[in-house]
Amino acid sequence: MICPSFFSDFDPDFASPAEWARMYRGCGLQVIPSYSPSEVARGASWKRPKLTEWSEFQGGLVPDAVFARWYGPVGEHSARDNMGMLTGHASGNVFVIDLDLQKGPAAGEWWRGVLAVHNNGIEPETCWQITGGGGRQILFRARPDWHSPTIRTPIGVDIRGQGGFAVLPASLHDSGQRYRWASGSAPYEIEIATAPEWLLGAIDALVAQHGGDKGGPRGTPIAASGGDYDAFGHQRDGREWKMTRLTCGAVVDWYRECPIKPGETEQRAKALQKYEVYEGLVVSRLRDPTKTKAELLEQEGRGWTLFWQKWKVLMRQWEGKVAEKARGPKPNASRSQGLPEQRVAAIEVPLPLLLSADQFVAGFSPPAYLIDGMLQRGYLYALTARTGHGKTAVSLYVAQCIARGVPMHGRAVKAGTVLLLAGENPDDIRARFLVLAEAYGFKAEDLEMRFVPGVIDIAVKLPEIRAEAGKISDLVLVIVDTGAAYFPGDESNSNSQQGAYARLLRQLTFLPGKPAVLVNCHPVKNASRENLLPMGGSAFLNEVDGNLTLWVTAERQTTLHWQGKFRGPEFEPMTFELVISDSARVVDVEGRLIPSVVAKPISELKLQLDEGKQESDENALMRAIATNRNSSIANLAVACKFVGATGQPQKSKVYAMCSRLVEEKLLERRGNKYRITPKGKREIGWKDSDDA
């Protein structure tokens, strides 16, 4: 590589495309001509070499004769503005970190986080450019024995390594802006830095999360674990690779079924059937509400036309490569899903579709209970309740039981670390947590818990969550407060979006430690005690392993049970008292205590006593209403002797009781008054025959 000082007379403002290309070649970069945006169909990719084939150029710099043919005095591309570099071995092991800063904050946060952890927040001195779209691309040279990966991620961090391609200045972007080197950071000014070990480690971690080509034969990927997908699990990048795998697998399997080559009509019908599968697995990068997904994929060059072309190529090889592939052993599905090597090695022969009893029962995995006989690790649960019925209070109670290793309502627990995503109101969670600590006699700061304050994009942040969770040896529970706060869709009533969201939340059960995941959910509209289903209805419910519910059954009491779906043994309802508590650490700016609600388990004996008192109070209230239908809430409280220590009528108690009795159809509301119903009269044995 030529030292940057050699280019002291290089003037980027007046350099011709050929001079740019010679400069890059002098720096040891494999520069090749690239398409310009005007040379491709609208929406199609132009960030690619303008060569019919370039795989032969990925091993090292092209011969001088080839370069002269491109960029010599009369070279065919000597006046072409757009050019790029082949990354990896072709350019001396140079790779590019591509940060799509213009698409959101995630890419910048990842880079700043890596620097903060490993380099005191200091930017390494190396070449970097500003793309025409507003992104940032940073160049490093890897050590010879480290294979630079090629990977796209949903957080906007792409790595261009072996087999990759990156557009170079002064190419023109379709935005009308040109790519440009940052001041003092061009390859004609400074050398491309050798990547430090901590950076290579950070990239390896990125590959582990998102997949990519890690130095194997071209086209041999590492299995992705959430990388190239949108928030709802549809693949966004790597679609052509998926299309190739799908068409190849389908045609080879078709040959295995019958080696007689089908006619074109059959071929097209079969291809259309498989294309529908492909279309259901991917998503377009384009956004146009007036067009279907199929139209957008076609516009990108990732739709039916390309699919059919690939299919026809395979059919022409029916008696050749297809037949040869079909005669070989069918690939082990576990390998294609990226199982760890030790697990793959143990699966020598795929099990048959029809299992013997021995094979079937061998697959049994004993449940790993987080809460004995109730919640299992690795399961996804909804906790559905109306506002004011104790979702947050009960979930915090469960959290402190797990984190402290104490029984939950009399049930043994698996102690461990709890992660709480406080999206709906982080300040309220902070206050509740401090009050909870005082109520149960522990120091809040000492509890084995982790928090994510505020709303995040779970799909984007999942790699970061997974990386940090890997540092926790015993993560056993994740609480999401609330499901609505983290919902990534644009239509909360969409069953398809809610179903996809539940599948995204299930990804949290695959975090290190295989935690249970508990999602606090708002119920469907106008939910009653018999209809406590999470928003999204059956679409969301079908994707979870259980729907826990809470319902206020008496004054300051809520009962935990399940409804609609629960995988595992049934359990008896558990009742909690919602106690008003406070803490000297939770005050307003005037120093006044701020009360909060704490859930405390109620014993069976106390519950029976409370139920007897509740029934007596409710009967007294119904008699008071039957006696004087025009009584105010305050007068009803006095008539029933519901008064506080200061003698003030407990109007809130009366109102809460009336609301419950209306739910049970023992009372009905007329304007701002209540009337006893015929059912209510029968309940208390009221003899008044005037029902008006």
Side-chain angles (χ1 to χ4, degrees), residues 295-314:
E295 290 171 331
L296 292 173
L297 288 171
E298 188 66 23
Q299 185 175 334
E300 283 189 280
R302 295 294 184 271
W304 165 250
T305 298
L306 181 62
F307 192 95
W308 180 234
Q309 287 174 355
K310 290 179 179 290
W311 190 277
K312 289 191 294 184
V313 168
L314 287 163

Side-chain angles (χ1 to χ4, degrees), residues 34-38 40 46-47 81-83 98 100 102-103 129-137 160 167-180:
S34 169
Y35 279 92
S36 66
S38 62
V40 299
W46 54 270
K47 298 176 184 178
D81 283 339
N82 279 31
M83 62 187 70
D98 186 357
D100 287 333
Q102 73 279 18
K103 295 181 180 179
Q129 64 162 315
I130 302 167
T131 70
R136 181 182 179 193
Q137 294 186 339
R160 317 281 187 193
V167 179
L168 292 172
S171 299
L172 185 67
H173 191 270
D174 58 8
S175 65
Q177 300 296 317
R178 290 192 179 275
Y179 288 71
R180 66 188 190 279

Side-chain angles (χ1 to χ4, degrees), residues 546-563:
N547 177 45
L548 303 173
T549 61
L550 285 169
W551 186 263
V552 170
T553 51
E555 183 186 11
R556 297 292 176 192
Q557 289 183 6
T558 189
T559 297
L560 174 69
H561 204 214
W562 66 271
Q563 190 178 113

Side-chain angles (χ1 to χ4, degrees), residues 45 137 167-168 189 191 283 293 369 373 408 414 537 555 614:
S45 175
Q137 294 186 339
V167 179
L168 292 172
E189 295 175 314
E191 290 192 27
V283 67
K293 181 195 281 189
Y369 280 108
M408 197 291 289
K414 170 67 175 178
E555 183 186 11
Q614 176 188 337

Side-chain angles (χ1 to χ4, degrees), residues 128-352:
W128 65 277
Q129 64 162 315
I130 302 167
T131 70
R136 181 182 179 193
Q137 294 186 339
I138 312 168
L139 279 63
F140 287 96
R141 195 177 301 277
R143 65 172 191 262
D145 62 334
W146 188 80
H147 296 285
S148 51
T150 295
I151 173 180
R152 288 176 180 265
T153 77
I155 63 173
V157 180
D158 299 343
I159 307 297
R160 317 281 187 193
Q162 183 58 32
F165 174 77
V167 179
L168 292 172
S171 299
L172 185 67
H173 191 270
D174 58 8
S175 65
Q177 300 296 317
R178 290 192 179 275
Y179 288 71
R180 66 188 190 279
W181 292 106
S183 178
S185 298
Y188 51 82
E189 295 175 314
I190 63 172
E191 290 192 27
I192 299 171
T194 299
E197 289 301 315
W198 55 260
L199 180 58
L200 302 183
I203 293 171
D204 284 339
L206 200 67
V207 171
Q209 299 299 328
H210 298 288
D213 185 341
K214 193 66 178 71
R218 186 168 183 258
T220 304
I222 289 176
S225 59
D228 306 319
Y229 298 84
D230 68 4
F232 295 132
H234 301 113
Q235 190 155 352
R236 181 167 45 206
D237 298 317
R239 292 165 298 173
E240 186 173 357
W241 175 81
K242 177 176 281 292
M243 183 188 290
T244 300
R245 290 291 299 272
L246 197 153
T247 52
C248 183
V251 171
V252 170
D253 283 345
W254 205 11
Y255 186 99
R256 289 190 178 107
E257 293 172 11
C258 179
I260 301 173
K261 186 175 182 179
E264 186 166 345
T265 302
E266 280 185 273
Q267 293 178 32
R268 190 175 184 88
K270 188 77 167 181
L272 282 168
Q273 179 188 9
K274 295 300 180 182
Y275 176 76
E276 289 179 4
V277 175
Y278 162 78
E279 189 177 302
L281 296 172
V282 301
V283 67
S284 174
R285 297 178 69 88
L286 304 179
R287 292 290 180 268
D288 186 343
T290 66
K291 293 183 178 180
T292 65
K293 181 195 281 189
E295 290 171 331
L296 292 173
L297 288 171
E298 188 66 23
Q299 185 175 334
E300 283 189 280
R302 295 294 184 271
W304 165 250
T305 298
L306 181 62
F307 192 95
W308 180 234
Q309 287 174 355
K310 290 179 179 290
W311 190 277
K312 289 191 294 184
V313 168
L314 287 163
M315 294 306 300
R316 287 196 294 270
Q317 299 173 348
W318 182 266
E319 301 295 345
K321 291 184 178 179
V322 171
E324 181 183 345
K325 187 77 172 175
R327 284 191 287 268
K330 195 168 184 177
N332 189 329
S334 298
R335 288 185 181 272
S336 65
Q337 293 170 10
L339 289 172
E341 284 301 318
Q342 61 269 27
R343 185 174 171 188
V344 171
I347 307 174
E348 296 295 341
V349 180
L351 290 173

